[in-house]
Amino acid sequence: MTDQGNNNQSFSRNPFAALFSSLADAKQFASGQKQQQPNTQPPSDESGDSAEDSDNSVSDSIDDNDDSLAEISRSFRSQQEICQQLNVNHMIQRIFLITLDNSDPSLRGGNGIPPRCVYLEEMAADLDGQDWLDMDNIEQALFNRLLLPEPGNHLIYMTSSSTVNLSADRDAGEKSAMPYLFACYQRAKEEITKVPEKLLPYAQRCKNLTVSNAHTVLLTPEIYVSQNIYEQLLDLLLDGVNGAQLEEVLEFVEEVITALLADQEVRTFGEVMVPVLDILHGRVKDLDLCQLLLYSYLDILLYFSRQRDIAKVLVEHIQPKDPSNGLQYQKTLLGAVLNISCLLKTPGVVENHSFFLNPSRSSPQEMKVQESNIHQFMGQFHDKLHQILKNLLQQSTETRHLLLSWLGGCLQANAGRTKIWANQMPEIFFQMYASDAFFLNLGAVLLKLCQPFCRPRSTKLLTFNPTYCALKELSEEERRNRNVHAQGLDKETCLIPPPPQQTVEFAQSYNLLTENLILTQSALHLGFHRLHDQMVKMNQSLHRLQGSWREAQRGTGPGAEQLREQFERLMTVYLSTKAAATQPSMLQCCLNLQASTAALLVQLGLGPPGSEHAELSFPLPPLTDSLLCYVPEFFAENMGDFFIFLRRFADEVLESSGECLEQVLHFITVFMGNVERMKNPHLRAKLAEVLEAVMPHLEPVSPGPAQSSMFQRQRVFCSYRHAAHLAEALITVFVDIEFTGDPHQFEQKFNYRRPMYPILKYMWGKDNYRESIKRLADYASENLEAMNPPLFLRFLNLLMNDAIFLLDEAIQYLSKIKLLQIERDQGEWEALAPDARREKESSLQMFGQLGRFHNIMSNETIGTLSFLTSDIRCLFVHPFLAERIISMLNYFLQHLVGPKMGALKVKDFSEFDFKPQQLVSDICTIYLNLGDEENFCATVPKDGRSYSPTLFAQTVRVLKKINKPGNMIVAFSMLADKIKSLADRQQQEEETYADAPDDFLDPIMSTLMVDPVLLPSSHVTVDRSTIARHLLSDQTDPFNRSPLTMDQIRPNEELRERIRQWLAERKQERQQMGPSG
């Protein structure tokens, strides 16, 4: 072994070697002791580039000319402190990348020296020759380093290597305080894992210095000129969530937060965090839904919501300056995030919009892909928002109270969104209230918060306490203590009015389930309903624009291009709105909530809920102390609105859960026909539309792609165990909406009844429903003269009233359309002034819309009568109804097959939904269904206004023309002959009775009375069938309007006997006169 080798081996065994971080440092120290000797050579440059070199074992070779082992050992023992200081100096340099040593790099020895450091020139001068850093001067050195405006200008090489090292330059020259301190923190943590045990306290102190200086920097940001310290903190977090070192960043931030909380004399913790939140707010508010950067900022917000102290600052910070201004909530940080969606940022302004541009040039597949992408981003967006709100609710009692106060105040301040004027004055609306996007996202997040109890059979639901909604103004302290944060609900109309003098038993405190459900339903009421309404109106406008565009394309001029642009813009808005409103997981959450709400309301409708769900059975128990008087109507409105929306725009969702559909059927069965449980007839009528939405449909709701499966709906609807009561509820509400007390009830009832016809048609095709309807008819037949007319009798009477009115109106509108079309086609409009021509065009359009509506409705009513008469005859042929239905059928046949039919021949029947062939077929079917009844056939010729043998002959010709089956034509021809024979006989009888005394004639119908009865209050005698028909629609005396029921009328036996005798005498006279007479 060489001398050098021996020296190395001996050196490595030296007990003082542990004082140095490396052999090079030991050599440097030993060499320093001989610098006064003329023959001493400078140390070789053995510096390293990484901290890993700092723990090299003392195994490197030393120069042959070094001192002997004994001499070095004596030097170590005499200079232990200096050795340790040398190691501390190097460690500080590695951590903070600063130095006081500006000597020639080639003269520096020792491994672990960083390649670049910032030379603190001024501090080195002040220390008068001290060129090392230690624990006494590091705080000052770090402070000086942080104050350097351009630290990169003070970089020096620490080693003799001249290799370009951009990474080292960047790290040492970092000019932003927070990233620099975080990097120092990381380097200090690395040193702690590598330095010898004797240096560990120094490394730990360096780490603490990075935290304390970060704390100081945040407390005194004004010192650091041209730096935005709060922005640096946010960027540090942003880099963390975007990179692989999030845990390290959060660890650093957590230690800084602890330091800030411990020292709030200069600035409170809130004063430090609020500027960070403001910067976050400014960056987030203009981001798009599909920008990945948005989700990084949401991750930061998610961290803030998990960090107890930041969460408290956050919920305090979002409280608006003016809590009564709805728009102010949108201008908060949370509001700005909630306002992000694929909806237009500025309503009506398509420019700079990111979605569905130029839709007419995109294929359906391309638009489907874009919608799918939006749904995917929305899902992530709502998941993160849900977690943020959930964290804030769970963080502490204080954060929960503040967040719920924000939600409650927001909903009350935006209550005006549901007002009718809000849709008519958009300019004012958008200055006063939060946006549709805000409420869509708020509703989606609240729906997710409700999911833990959104199962129809969940016992948690039964803990809901609706008396919450009856609470009036509470103080802030009361709201906090009683968990009541929604406001203004006591002004809402409830399902039923509270009983007079009822005392409300309020709870001392309300559970979070009650508050969550109420806040969520309130948010849906303010947001989803308006969005649904907009989509329906846009859909209608698009159809009109498409028609006008096609019309304009046939002509010349710029009109077609302008219409195309309008169509494009509106289609962009529509597709964006549809994508926002149909996010699958949001709809599924809403389905769960609405089905659970249906189950809950049914339980409340059965009585005060217990600990388990009560089974629904009929008859329903009488209502006592019902909590329904505290449930706002918008609970039921939201439910109805949602299922109607699904039917129109997301039909496939209805197939996702049979249990949900069954709960909806329960709710409709209990409430639709029951005024004791739901007073508002308009709301009960809306439930018929809901029933139409959830029932299986044989026809698609609109032309387009393949319709979704009907399996679940058919299974639930057909096997529904309360089918009989559901059918009765439908017929009940059909009757009830005739008399709503609303000044527009006459016009409204037709819209309300529109969905009832397809439901009745579907029910009629299912045995269990049809049998229940027939039982109602049988009961009506047995109780025709009951004090209150039977339900089904009143239903048939109103059905015929509607048919008569609607088809008559449709005929009138078609006649007007025909005249206007003739004028236009003959060129008469071209000679008119522009205003007059526009008026004509407007009239034609208006008559077309009205005619189409009345045709649709009349088709439905006649079609309903057609299938009902196939199995229910006794009521239709009874004198109470027979004359009315016959006169109606004959009148319409007269217009459809008689000489007047030419007045209805408009251009393009389909444009106005005019189906004369179907109407003729249905009317003939009704005749054939009832034609076996002798009394019915005998009544047909009594219709002096429209009946004639010629009319029926014309009907037979039309049936042949429209290719109806031969057996139908033969059967109708035979019926016509039978009726003609009866007509001839009746004509002879009428001639016999033509001179009947006036007091024998019915005062209303002017026909000979068969069964005269006396009205109790007016003392007028009328025929029984006449007053019975009148009382079906109006239970008053027709001569003085006093209340009247069938059980109050009395037979006029004396007059009846006189009529009988007179008839017998006339008959005898006629027989004596013989045929010639």
Side-chain angles (χ1 to χ4, degrees):
M1 182 180 292
T2 64
D3 292 340
Q4 182 175 340
N6 289 330
N7 284 340
N8 284 341
Q9 187 175 14
S10 301
F11 208 166
S12 65
R13 295 192 186 117
N14 194 297
F16 295 101
L19 294 173
F20 297 92
S21 60
S22 68
L23 177 61
D25 289 344
K27 288 168 57 184
Q28 183 184 14
F29 174 77
S31 301
Q33 304 309 305
K34 301 191 296 178
Q35 282 180 1
Q36 302 303 321
Q37 301 176 18
N39 295 329
T40 301
Q41 298 296 321
S44 63
D45 182 8
E46 292 191 37
S47 62
D49 288 347
S50 69
E52 290 182 3
D53 297 333
S54 65
D55 61 348
N56 288 342
S57 64
V58 185
S59 59
D60 297 334
S61 64
I62 58 175
D63 297 331
D64 293 338
N65 61 351
D66 281 344
D67 290 339
S68 68
L69 176 62
E71 182 179 352
I72 293 176
S73 296
R74 286 194 299 274
S75 299
F76 282 166
R77 285 193 295 272
S78 64
Q79 298 291 336
Q80 289 181 28
E81 293 82 0
I82 298 175
C83 297
Q84 183 146 309
Q85 181 55 59
L86 186 62
N87 284 320
V88 170
N89 176 50
H90 287 171
M91 183 182 69
I92 291 173
Q93 289 175 341
R94 289 193 299 272
I95 292 173
F96 296 104
L97 305 182
I98 55 177
T99 187
L100 298 177
D101 182 8
N102 195 26
S103 61
D104 186 345
S106 63
L107 299 178
R108 299 191 191 101
N111 291 323
I113 297 176
R116 306 285 188 275
C117 278
V118 170
Y119 174 56
L120 303 177
E121 186 175 0
E122 291 184 8
M123 184 172 174
D126 291 342
L127 291 177
D128 194 19
Q130 178 177 333
D131 61 356
W132 68 88
L133 292 162
D134 54 30
M135 289 299 121
D136 294 330
N137 61 24
I138 180 56
E139 288 192 44
Q140 180 64 39
L142 184 54
F143 181 68
N144 289 351
R145 164 64 179 83
L146 290 170
L147 287 179
L148 289 175
E150 293 293 339
N153 295 341
H154 301 271
L155 289 179
I156 62 170
Y157 284 78
M158 296 299 291
T159 68
S160 57
S161 172
S162 59
T163 305
V164 175
N165 191 332
L166 296 178
S167 174
D169 291 346
R170 184 184 65 249
D171 292 345
E174 175 62 63
K175 61 192 296 184
S176 298
M178 291 304 295
Y180 168 71
L181 288 170
F182 171 64
C184 294
Y185 177 85
Q186 285 184 293
R187 290 190 290 266
K189 280 183 63 182
E190 191 174 357
E191 288 292 328
I192 288 170
T193 64
K194 295 182 178 181
V195 297
E197 187 176 351
K198 290 183 186 260
L199 291 179
L200 194 58
Y202 302 103
Q204 187 64 51
R205 188 176 171 199
C206 287
K207 173 174 167 286
N208 294 342
L209 276 174
T210 63
V211 174
S212 62
N213 273 270
H215 145 260
T216 304
V217 165
L218 287 167
L219 289 179
T220 56
E222 61 277 359
I223 296 176
Y224 305 93
V225 183
S226 75
Q227 291 195 54
N228 189 327
I229 301 300
Y230 304 119
E231 200 166 52
Q232 291 174 20
L233 177 58
L234 184 60
D235 286 335
L236 182 62
L237 288 165
L238 185 63
D239 291 340
V241 298
N242 286 335
Q245 53 182 12
L246 179 59
E247 289 184 12
E248 290 88 342
V249 171
L250 295 184
E251 183 184 357
F252 173 66
V253 171
E254 286 289 346
E255 291 196 38
V256 174
I257 289 172
T258 302
L260 288 169
L261 291 168
D263 177 16
Q264 302 193 57
E265 291 183 10
V266 178
R267 272 186 172 85
T268 65
F269 181 68
E271 289 172 331
V272 172
M273 287 308 303
V274 163
V276 179
L277 298 177
D278 285 338
I279 294 167
L280 177 59
H281 182 183
R283 292 185 181 182
V284 164
K285 65 184 177 66
D286 294 321
L287 293 178
D288 280 333
L289 177 70
C290 298
Q291 283 183 262
L292 294 179
L293 182 59
L294 168 65
Y295 298 88
S296 298
Y297 283 123
L298 286 180
D299 284 335
I300 294 173
L301 202 52
L302 196 55
Y303 164 67
F304 287 170
S305 70
R306 286 196 301 262
Q307 213 289 329
R308 184 185 184 91
D309 301 288
I310 300 180
K312 184 173 183 297
V313 175
L314 173 61
V315 290
E316 288 173 346
H317 181 57
I318 62 174
Q319 303 302 317
K321 295 176 181 177
D322 179 7
S324 63
N325 185 317
L327 186 59
Q328 289 299 314
Y329 291 85
Q330 184 179 310
K331 293 183 176 180
T332 64
L333 171 56
L334 181 57
V337 174
L338 288 169
N339 193 42
I340 296 170
S341 84
C342 62
L343 297 176
L344 270 66
K345 291 182 179 179
T346 304
V349 180
V350 175
E351 288 73 21
N352 300 321
H353 187 56
S354 304
F355 309 100
F356 300 109
L357 297 177
N358 303 315
S360 66
R361 299 183 187 130
S362 302
S363 69
Q365 184 62 30
E366 288 172 330
M367 288 190 285
K368 193 69 180 173
V369 168
Q370 191 169 172
E371 183 181 73
S372 179
N373 289 338
I374 290 171
H375 287 167
Q376 188 173 354
F377 277 105
M378 280 183 72
Q380 297 177 35
F381 185 58
H382 291 160
D383 285 343
K384 289 186 184 295
L385 281 175
H386 162 242
Q387 196 57 54
I388 289 167
L389 262 66
K390 183 179 178 182
N391 289 344
L392 294 174
L393 288 171
Q394 295 177 342
Q395 194 60 254
S396 69
T397 305
E398 181 64 15
T399 56
R400 183 171 77 172
H401 168 67
L402 288 171
L403 178 60
L404 291 174
S405 295
W406 188 88
L407 291 169
C410 173
L411 295 172
Q412 186 186 34
N414 284 281
R417 284 176 54 88
T418 60
K419 306 297 182 188
I420 295 175
W421 68 263
N423 290 323
Q424 298 170 344
M425 304 170 69
E427 299 82 6
I428 298 176
F429 177 91
F430 294 116
Q431 293 173 10
M432 294 179 63
Y433 303 120
S435 68
D436 294 324
F438 175 98
F439 270 96
L440 180 74
N441 290 323
L442 179 60
V445 175
L446 290 175
L447 281 169
K448 283 185 173 291
L449 288 173
C450 289
Q451 290 310 294
F453 58 82
C454 280
R455 295 185 304 279
R457 304 290 296 182
S458 170
T459 54
K460 293 179 182 178
L461 279 174
L462 302 177
T463 66
F464 173 74
N465 190 341
T467 60
Y468 178 110
C469 302
L471 286 164
K472 300 185 185 298
E473 294 298 324
L474 298 178
S475 67
E476 179 71 14
E477 193 61 27
E478 285 177 311
R479 291 191 180 280
R480 183 191 300 269
N481 294 336
R482 300 179 70 177
N483 295 324
V484 177
H485 298 89
Q487 304 171 42
L489 292 172
D490 58 297
K491 300 178 180 64
E492 290 287 340
T493 304
C494 293
L495 293 178
I496 57 174
Q501 311 303 320
Q502 176 171 310
T503 304
V504 187
E505 295 183 11
F506 294 110
Q508 286 301 310
S509 177
Y510 291 87
N511 60 17
L512 190 58
L513 180 147
T514 296
E515 191 144 54
N516 272 3
L517 183 56
I518 289 171
L519 290 173
T520 304
Q521 290 287 13
S522 297
L524 294 175
H525 179 54
L526 296 179
F528 193 84
H529 174 78
R530 176 180 157 84
L531 213 57
H532 181 189
D533 190 49
Q534 286 180 359
M535 288 181 67
V536 171
K537 289 177 179 175
M538 280 192 283
N539 212 1
Q540 293 168 347
S541 297
L542 284 168
H543 282 296
R544 284 196 296 269
L545 271 174
Q546 197 170 31
S548 301
W549 179 22
R550 287 172 180 166
E551 189 78 21
Q553 281 180 314
R554 299 191 190 106
T556 56
E561 184 59 28
Q562 291 174 0
L563 287 169
R564 191 193 69 79
E565 289 178 8
Q566 287 181 39
F567 181 82
E568 286 272 287
R569 294 167 68 89
L570 187 57
M571 181 59 85
T572 295
V573 180
Y574 173 77
L575 291 172
S576 300
T577 306
K578 182 175 179 290
T582 56
Q583 204 281 327
S585 61
M586 179 181 71
L587 293 182
Q588 189 61 53
C589 287
C590 197
L591 176 64
N592 296 340
L593 176 92
Q594 300 302 358
S596 300
T597 301
L600 172 61
L601 293 181
V602 167
Q603 291 300 308
L604 294 177
L606 297 178
S611 59
E612 297 290 335
H613 285 255
E615 288 299 322
L616 175 61
S617 61
F618 290 87
L620 296 173
L623 275 184
T624 54
D625 300 326
S626 176
L627 294 174
L628 291 174
C629 62
Y630 307 120
V631 178
E633 283 187 347
F634 64 70
F635 273 53
E637 288 173 356
N638 287 349
M639 190 192 316
D641 206 41
F642 176 69
F643 285 103
I644 294 167
F645 173 86
L646 289 184
R647 175 59 186 144
R648 287 170 173 163
F649 303 109
D651 191 59
E652 67 283 353
V653 177
L654 290 169
E655 281 295 300
S656 62
S657 172
E659 185 183 13
C660 288
L661 291 175
E662 186 175 22
Q663 295 302 328
V664 176
L665 289 187
H666 286 338
F667 175 77
I668 293 171
T669 306
V670 170
F671 286 90
M672 183 168 64
N674 196 314
V675 71
E676 292 181 354
R677 288 170 169 79
M678 185 178 284
K679 183 182 179 183
N680 187 340
H682 304 285
L683 190 53
R684 288 192 291 119
K686 186 174 183 176
L687 294 185
E689 194 174 357
V690 179
L691 182 58
E692 185 207 18
V694 300
M695 67 175 274
H697 283 259
L698 301 179
E699 298 177 1
V701 69
S702 59
Q707 300 297 302
S708 61
S709 165
M710 294 287 165
F711 173 76
Q712 288 282 13
R713 279 168 279 188
Q714 288 177 339
R715 181 184 65 79
V716 172
F717 208 86
C718 296
S719 63
Y720 186 52
R721 63 182 183 274
H722 301 301
H725 301 285
L726 180 57
E728 183 177 355
L730 179 67
I731 292 171
T732 300
V733 78
F734 186 101
V735 172
D736 286 353
I737 58 172
E738 185 75 16
F739 313 103
T740 62
D742 191 290
H744 305 292
Q745 67 181 21
F746 187 77
E747 295 84 358
Q748 289 174 335
K749 68 179 181 181
F750 298 114
N751 283 316
Y752 287 146
R753 286 172 179 161
R754 181 205 57 75
M756 299 181 191
Y757 295 116
I759 301 171
L760 279 168
K761 185 176 182 180
Y762 184 84
M763 285 181 169
W764 192 256
K766 305 299 174 185
D767 291 343
N768 51 345
Y769 289 98
R770 183 170 64 251
E771 290 305 314
S772 65
I773 294 171
K774 288 167 65 176
R775 283 196 294 272
L776 291 174
D778 292 340
Y779 177 83
S781 298
E782 295 163 5
N783 296 273
L784 283 173
E785 296 192 14
M787 179 177 72
N788 294 314
L791 173 65
F792 200 77
L793 184 62
R794 295 169 64 199
F795 162 69
L796 289 183
N797 180 63
L798 294 173
L799 184 63
M800 285 191 285
N801 285 350
D802 286 0
I804 292 167
F805 173 80
L806 290 165
L807 196 48
D808 197 36
E809 287 290 295
I811 288 170
Q812 300 302 320
Y813 285 122
L814 289 170
S815 299
K816 293 176 181 178
I817 292 168
K818 172 75 180 296
L819 292 174
L820 287 170
Q821 287 180 340
I822 291 172
E823 289 178 6
R824 182 189 62 187
D825 295 345
Q826 290 179 348
E828 294 180 21
W829 288 10
E830 295 177 7
L832 297 173
D835 288 346
R837 181 169 182 171
R838 276 194 293 272
E839 186 177 346
K840 289 279 188 182
E841 291 171 346
S842 177
S843 296
L844 180 56
Q845 185 179 16
M846 181 185 69
F847 291 151
Q849 292 171 351
L850 290 170
R852 183 173 182 273
F853 172 78
H854 286 87
N855 275 322
I856 291 172
M857 295 301 294
S858 58
N859 293 338
E860 295 283 9
T861 52
I862 298 297
T864 302
L865 286 169
S866 175
F867 66 71
L868 286 176
T869 54
S870 67
D871 226 353
I872 298 174
R873 298 185 179 88
C874 55
L875 281 172
F876 288 101
V877 300
H878 193 279
F880 283 9
L881 296 179
E883 289 184 15
R884 292 195 63 227
I885 193 170
I886 287 167
S887 61
M888 175 189 78
L889 298 175
N890 289 342
Y891 174 72
F892 293 141
L893 279 180
Q894 195 177 47
H895 282 275
L896 293 168
V897 303
K900 298 180 180 180
M901 64 179 180
L904 308 181
K905 287 188 177 179
V906 295
K907 285 188 171 182
D908 190 4
F909 286 176
S910 63
E911 182 181 352
F912 308 107
D913 267 283
F914 181 42
K915 301 175 180 177
Q917 295 183 7
Q918 185 62 48
L919 285 170
V920 170
S921 177
D922 286 342
I923 289 172
C924 291
T925 300
I926 296 170
Y927 264 121
L928 293 173
N929 288 339
L930 304 176
D932 290 339
E933 301 291 334
E934 194 70 25
N935 289 341
F936 178 80
C937 293
T939 309
V940 174
K942 293 180 181 179
D943 173 27
R945 182 178 70 160
S946 303
Y947 170 75
S948 70
T950 308
L951 177 64
F952 275 58
Q954 291 168 332
T955 303
V956 171
R957 285 199 298 272
V958 170
L959 289 174
K960 293 177 180 177
K961 187 176 179 181
I962 61 178
N963 297 319
K964 282 297 164 181
N967 58 344
M968 180 181 186
I969 297 171
V970 171
F972 193 81
S973 298
M974 293 173 64
L975 178 64
D977 293 340
K978 179 180 178 181
I979 292 173
K980 183 178 183 302
S981 174
L982 291 169
D984 292 341
R985 189 188 312 164
Q986 287 177 15
Q987 185 176 3
Q988 294 177 358
E989 291 178 355
E990 286 175 5
E991 291 173 358
T992 304
Y993 313 140
D995 57 346
D998 289 344
D999 58 339
F1000 288 7
L1001 301 179
D1002 182 277
I1004 296 175
M1005 303 301 293
S1006 297
T1007 55
L1008 185 67
M1009 289 186 282
V1010 178
D1011 186 3
V1013 293
L1014 184 67
L1015 306 184
S1017 59
S1018 64
H1019 304 292
V1020 176
T1021 296
V1022 295
D1023 197 57
R1024 182 181 293 273
S1025 61
T1026 301
I1027 193 62
R1029 282 196 302 271
H1030 168 78
L1031 291 178
L1032 289 176
S1033 302
D1034 185 359
Q1035 291 194 305
T1036 62
D1037 187 316
F1039 299 98
N1040 62 9
R1041 312 305 300 165
S1042 60
L1044 179 65
T1045 56
M1046 279 299 289
D1047 64 314
Q1048 293 175 318
I1049 65 174
R1050 295 290 177 265
N1052 192 333
E1053 297 291 358
E1054 185 269 333
L1055 181 58
R1056 181 177 182 178
E1057 182 59 26
R1058 286 171 53 205
I1059 293 173
R1060 190 189 66 76
Q1061 290 178 357
W1062 183 83
L1063 285 173
E1065 292 171 0
R1066 298 296 293 170
K1067 189 173 184 179
Q1068 186 176 5
E1069 290 176 5
R1070 182 180 169 204
Q1071 289 174 348
Q1072 291 174 351
M1073 293 174 65
S1076 61

